Amino acid sequence: WITLDALEGTIAAGDSAFVSVQVDTEEIPAGVYVALIEFSINNLNNNTIPLVVTVNVSGTPQLTVSPDSLDFGPVLVNTTGTLQLMLMNSGSDDLFITGISSSNENFSVSEQEFYLQASENVFVEVSFFPTESTDYSGTLTISSNTPGQSETVVQVNGSGTLAPPLNLQGSLAEE
């Protein structure tokens, strides 16, 4: 995460030289990082000069949802169908899922709040409970501390179907 230009040469008495130090925090998680850079010099009593570099990285959480929509297909009326939704922190700081709400009461999520570290994920069980033989749709709104996108919406669909009749019998009538 830290690089510097190689410097060799002579610095005359009373002069100075600049050394370019680059810090790249894009791929590292939030936290405090310390590096020691030692410069070798031609002083017989002290042949190195230490430079301590301290960087405090404040990362960014990023919610990634997979899949981006759920289709339950046909589910028998008054029974429950379930699918899983993966929530992942693809950012570099802690992600807080502060709630998951549904726009349609026939779709629900049991757990509402999560804490995810960078690169951590969780699978959420989403339930669909149709009460009539009809098509259902709605959205799940996931609230989090993702900068610029505090809410993520997932489309949900399903249809309620009736069970086939039991013990169905028929007979042929002659004409």
Side-chain angles (χ1 to χ4, degrees), residues 4 88 109 175:
L4 61 133
M88 179 179 179
V109 177
E175 289 188 35

Side-chain angles (χ1 to χ4, degrees), residues 87-105:
L87 308 178
M88 179 179 179
N89 182 359
S90 55
S92 58
D93 201 358
D94 296 337
L95 174 69
F96 298 100
I97 306 294
T98 55
I100 303 174
S101 61
S102 175
S103 67
N104 183 324
E105 66 185 12

Side-chain angles (χ1 to χ4, degrees), residues 60-65 95-101 112 140-154:
T60 303
Q62 179 64 48
L63 174 62
T64 301
V65 178
L95 174 69
F96 298 100
I97 306 294
T98 55
I100 303 174
S101 61
Q112 302 292 315
L140 299 176
T141 301
I142 305 166
S143 301
S144 71
N145 66 328
T146 300
Q149 187 181 350
S150 61
E151 291 185 344
T152 302
V153 177
V154 175

Side-chain angles (χ1 to χ4, degrees), residues 45-105:
N45 295 326
N46 184 7
N47 61 358
T48 60
I49 296 177
L51 172 64
V52 177
V53 178
T54 304
V55 177
N56 187 356
V57 177
S58 58
T60 303
Q62 179 64 48
L63 174 62
T64 301
V65 178
S66 181
D68 57 3
S69 65
L70 294 175
D71 187 352
F72 287 85
V75 175
L76 293 176
V77 169
N78 295 321
T79 64
T80 302
T82 59
L83 292 175
Q84 288 192 334
L85 189 64
M86 184 187 73
L87 308 178
M88 179 179 179
N89 182 359
S90 55
S92 58
D93 201 358
D94 296 337
L95 174 69
F96 298 100
I97 306 294
T98 55
I100 303 174
S101 61
S102 175
S103 67
N104 183 324
E105 66 185 12

Side-chain angles (χ1 to χ4, degrees), residues 5-60:
D5 294 338
L7 178 67
E8 284 187 26
T10 303
I11 302 172
D15 283 348
S16 61
F18 289 95
V19 176
S20 177
V21 177
Q22 292 86 31
V23 177
D24 181 7
T25 61
E26 188 172 325
E27 297 294 325
I28 60 175
V32 176
Y33 296 86
V34 178
L36 174 64
I37 301 172
E38 290 188 339
F39 295 96
S40 298
I41 60 172
N42 64 348
N43 184 328
L44 296 177
N45 295 326
N46 184 7
N47 61 358
T48 60
I49 296 177
L51 172 64
V52 177
V53 178
T54 304
V55 177
N56 187 356
V57 177
S58 58
T60 303

